[in-house]
């Protein structure tokens, strides 16, 4: 049930029998020169469509903005920061808590959102509710290690080829390898550098180490729509199974 398509009376009837709410959360940010800025919102929204066929839940509209400060130097990126996302999502969840929501699922499309969503979940647990984060890209990579990827790389490119090929522009793709921090501290993954084989985070803007905006071992040119379709279906199947078990968790 899409809350944005319901009347308040229909919402009242839903919350009289269930307390499950699924909230897709995305971001508007750089995904390399070949992928659309809205990738992190479009994937969760697509998964919502698949989940509606599998789960009886109240689905909120996708939150299109997230914490993308590290992508801020790429044109078109919009970031409301961790503080902004926390404020918005805490108010969203509080509103739905007032209506009767108690089991909240954040269907998340962007890792930068984790800190804010975790804080909301922690605070809601003190009110007798329960929140969880379903980070789709992490789930996909755990379901099949061949699907695991970086940012704007093969995994996300495959997903967008399956969802909307018009949002993938391989004619604009730039094949630029990430830069090392120094000769002694080579690039690891994401913001991580390597020191004697150990990964150490060094927080910095993406453009300082990945000029094209993408990074990861899963090269974007390897992506196919078939990969994306299989991956998204498997991810939706897992999410549906988890959500059904999650909503049966008794609350204190």
């Amino acid at each position: 049930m899409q809350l944005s398509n319901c009347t308040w009376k229909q919402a009242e009837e839903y919350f009289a029998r269930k307390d499950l709410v699924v909230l897709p959360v995305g971001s508007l940010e750089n995904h390399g020169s070949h992928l659309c800025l809205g990738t992190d919102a479009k994937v969760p929204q697509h998964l919502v469509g698949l989940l509606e066929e599998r789960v009886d839940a109240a689905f909120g509209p996708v939150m299109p903005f997230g914490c993308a400060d590290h992508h801020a130097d790429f044109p078109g990126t919009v970031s409301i920061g961790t503080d902004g996302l926390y404020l918005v999502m805490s108010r969203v969840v509080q509103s739905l808590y007032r209506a009767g929501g108690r089991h909240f699922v954040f269907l998340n499309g962007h890792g930068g959102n984790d800190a804010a969503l975790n804080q909301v979940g922690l605070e809601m647990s003190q009110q007798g509710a329960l929140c969880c984060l379903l980070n789709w890209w992490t789930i996909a990579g755990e379901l099949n290690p061949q699907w695991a990827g970086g940012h704007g790389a093969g995994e996300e490119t495959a997903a967008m080829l399956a969802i909307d090929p018009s949002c993938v522009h391989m004619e604009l793709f730039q094949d630029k390898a990430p830069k090392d921090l120094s000769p002694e501290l080579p690039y690891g993954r994401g913001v991580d550098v390597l020191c004697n084989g150990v990964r150490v985070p060094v927080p910095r803007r993406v453009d300082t180490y990945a000029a094209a905006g993408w990074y990861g071992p899963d090269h974007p040119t390897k992506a196919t729509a078939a990969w994306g379709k299989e991956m998204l279906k498997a991810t939706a199947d897992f999410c549906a199974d988890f959500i059904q078990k999650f909503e049966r968790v008794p609350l204190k």
Side-chain angles (χ1 to χ4, degrees), residues 113-130:
N113 296 340
D114 286 6
L117 298 178
N118 280 324
Q119 183 62 30
V120 173
L122 177 62
E123 293 178 3
M124 293 308 299
S125 72
Q126 297 170 344
Q127 294 183 226
L130 202 59

Side-chain angles (χ1 to χ4, degrees), residues 174-208:
Q174 297 178 21
D175 195 0
K176 297 181 179 179
K179 297 178 181 178
D180 296 335
L181 186 63
S182 75
E184 294 181 308
L185 298 174
Y187 175 78
R189 184 171 182 177
V191 298
D192 294 353
V193 300
L194 295 175
C195 180
N196 301 326
V198 177
R199 287 169 52 178
V200 179
V202 181
R204 58 207 192 279
R205 300 190 322 271
V206 173
D207 64 292
T208 64

Side-chain angles (χ1 to χ4, degrees), residues 128-182:
L130 202 59
C131 300
C132 69
L133 269 71
L134 292 180
N135 291 335
W136 81 264
W137 71 95
T138 301
I139 291 169
E142 293 193 27
L143 292 174
N144 185 343
Q146 293 183 341
W147 294 340
H151 176 78
E155 182 182 24
E156 289 189 304
T157 302
M160 289 309 302
L161 284 171
I163 295 170
D164 187 353
S166 71
C167 291
V168 181
H169 299 275
M170 294 309 296
E171 74 278 6
L172 300 176
F173 174 68
Q174 297 178 21
D175 195 0
K176 297 181 179 179
K179 297 178 181 178
D180 296 335
L181 186 63
S182 75

Side-chain angles (χ1 to χ4, degrees), residues 4-18:
S4 58
N5 294 336
C6 297
T7 68
W8 71 262
K9 191 64 179 175
Q10 290 171 311
E12 180 182 61
E13 292 170 356
Y14 171 84
F15 286 114
R17 64 182 181 85
K18 290 179 73 75

